[in-house]
Amino acid sequence: MKVNEFIILNHFVVSRYTMAILPYLLNNDLYAKVVEEDGEYIVKQTPLDIIRHSCDYYGCSFQGRKEGTKAVIGITHKAPIAIEPSNEIYFFPTASPKDSCCVWLSHMHVYRYEPAKYERTVVYFRNGKSVVLDVSCKSFINQLHRTAQLRTKLSERMEARERKLQYVYRMQQEKHVTE
């Protein structure tokens, strides 16, 4: 089914190609408008439901991801979510996730941003698309930096783990060679 030239989906799972999830009112129901690199869709789920469902799809609950963010960087309110860290799928909310105006943005797709009139922010994505958000530039930058901090810390941990595994593997190989 289509509405205003948008394809309507019942469910959606974010991927590396998902750039933004915005609230979308349709017949007094709150749905989501998903902006992907190659198109836009209307999804019969709220933005938060898409984030929750995506966390479940990739093997961890939304609550677990929130607790992980708290453990890694100490953030509890408007926390960025590492939906699937090994594929660099990190999203951050522009408001409280429970707020019907909350937009979720993919950290990897944000190219640049600038303040706009009336305490709004224009966000430009790597593919040239843009969205205007009802959030101050200061608040947006804070959320962007929090997400960068989460990405960096988790990336460092994954790299350290990989180095340790490589070291153990090399030690085992050397042990077998000397025997």
Side-chain angles (χ1 to χ4, degrees), residues 97-137:
K98 294 175 184 172
D99 188 326
S100 63
C101 297
C102 180
V103 173
W104 288 85
L105 297 168
S106 168
H107 189 262
M108 77 181 324
H109 287 284
V110 174
Y111 180 64
R112 66 183 182 91
Y113 51 86
E114 61 188 33
K117 288 183 179 179
Y118 313 114
E119 290 291 302
R120 300 171 98 195
T121 304
V122 181
V123 177
Y124 298 93
F125 298 110
R126 297 192 181 282
N127 69 351
K129 289 183 182 181
S130 65
V131 293
V132 179
L133 303 175
D134 286 324
V135 63
S136 72
C137 201

Side-chain angles (χ1 to χ4, degrees), residues 10-158:
N10 288 320
H11 300 284
F12 189 83
V13 174
V14 300
S15 71
R16 290 179 55 87
Y17 309 107
T18 309
M19 300 188 309
I21 306 168
L22 301 96
Y24 186 87
L25 277 175
L26 181 63
N27 303 326
N28 291 327
D29 290 319
L30 179 63
Y31 292 145
K33 177 180 173 184
V34 175
V35 181
E36 293 259 295
E37 286 181 352
D38 62 352
E40 298 180 3
Y41 310 97
I42 302 302
V43 181
K44 290 183 176 181
Q45 292 178 285
T46 67
L48 181 56
D49 286 342
I50 290 173
I51 295 295
R52 288 180 189 276
H53 177 70
S54 297
C55 288
D56 290 343
Y57 180 84
Y58 290 110
C60 191
S61 70
F62 176 73
Q63 189 61 36
R65 291 296 188 196
K66 278 180 57 175
E67 290 170 9
T69 297
K70 180 181 177 184
V72 174
I73 61 171
I75 302 295
T76 58
H77 300 316
K78 296 196 311 186
I81 301 296
I83 294 175
E84 218 295 283
S86 63
N87 281 312
E88 298 185 52
I89 303 174
Y90 291 83
F91 275 72
F92 63 94
T94 59
S96 166
K98 294 175 184 172
D99 188 326
S100 63
C101 297
C102 180
V103 173
W104 288 85
L105 297 168
S106 168
H107 189 262
M108 77 181 324
H109 287 284
V110 174
Y111 180 64
R112 66 183 182 91
Y113 51 86
E114 61 188 33
K117 288 183 179 179
Y118 313 114
E119 290 291 302
R120 300 171 98 195
T121 304
V122 181
V123 177
Y124 298 93
F125 298 110
R126 297 192 181 282
N127 69 351
K129 289 183 182 181
S130 65
V131 293
V132 179
L133 303 175
D134 286 324
V135 63
S136 72
C137 201
K138 181 180 176 183
S139 178
F140 175 81
I141 291 168
N142 187 48
Q143 289 301 99
L144 192 67
H145 288 173
R146 287 174 159 191
T147 311
Q149 183 183 19
L150 179 63
R151 278 181 78 175
T152 299
K153 291 226 178 192
L154 286 179
S155 178
E156 287 171 352
R157 289 179 179 188
M158 289 187 286

